[in-house]
């Protein structure tokens, strides 16, 4: 199965979940996703997702100066983002449960 297609469908949820407990900048969020097991996630995909989620009103952003290079733009969940995370997590859990049931019925899980 092509996991890159699955990842495209859940990247918004994954990024929101990665920001649930702590704000982060683009590369930091990318590292969190990869360390969680999403090794195939691309840099451009994460940065595009952050811009899209910010434009949708789910994230706040602020800039922090860096001694090691350019300033870093941090993102954090706002109230709308937390609500979206909760809503999307419920949708995901329902979908995953349905797939688990289907696979179990066919004897493939």
């Amino acid at each position: 199965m092509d996991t890159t297609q699955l990842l495209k469908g859940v990247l918004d949820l994954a990024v929101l979940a990665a920001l649930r407990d702590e704000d982060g900048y683009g590369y930091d969020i990318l590292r969190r996703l990869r360390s969680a097991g999403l090794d195939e996630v691309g840099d451009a995909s994460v940065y595009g997702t952050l811009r899209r989620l910010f434009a949708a009103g789910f994230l706040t952003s602020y800039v922090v100066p860096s001694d090691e290079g350019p300033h870093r733009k941090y993102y954090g969940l706002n109230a709308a983002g937390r609500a979206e995370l909760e809503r999307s997590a419920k949708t995901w859990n329902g979908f995953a449960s349905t797939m688990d049931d289907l696979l179990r019925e066919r004897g493939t899980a």
Side-chain angles (χ1 to χ4, degrees):
M1 175 175 277
D2 183 8
T3 57
T4 57
Q5 290 302 314
L6 291 172
L7 185 57
K8 285 181 185 178
V10 297
L11 190 54
D12 285 10
L13 175 58
V15 168
L16 291 171
L19 289 169
R20 176 182 42 230
D21 298 324
E22 184 180 7
D23 295 356
Y25 57 93
Y27 187 69
D28 177 47
I29 296 163
L30 180 65
R31 280 193 310 230
R32 291 179 199 179
L33 294 172
R34 288 181 176 164
S35 70
L38 299 177
D39 299 325
E40 296 180 22
V41 67
D43 299 23
S45 296
V46 170
Y47 287 102
T49 298
L50 287 167
R51 284 190 298 273
R52 188 174 58 258
L53 291 171
F54 179 77
F58 298 135
L59 303 178
T60 59
S61 72
Y62 54 95
V63 175
V64 174
S66 173
D67 295 333
E68 302 173 7
H71 299 325
R72 292 183 175 151
K73 187 173 188 177
Y74 278 74
Y75 293 91
L77 291 182
N78 57 25
R82 291 193 184 283
E84 179 63 15
L85 173 58
E86 185 176 330
R87 186 196 67 73
S88 293
K90 286 179 183 176
T91 300
W92 170 258
N93 288 329
F95 178 78
S97 177
T98 299
M99 289 304 301
D100 285 344
D101 291 346
L102 281 170
L103 292 170
R104 234 185 328 276
E105 287 174 14
R106 306 270 187 243
T108 55

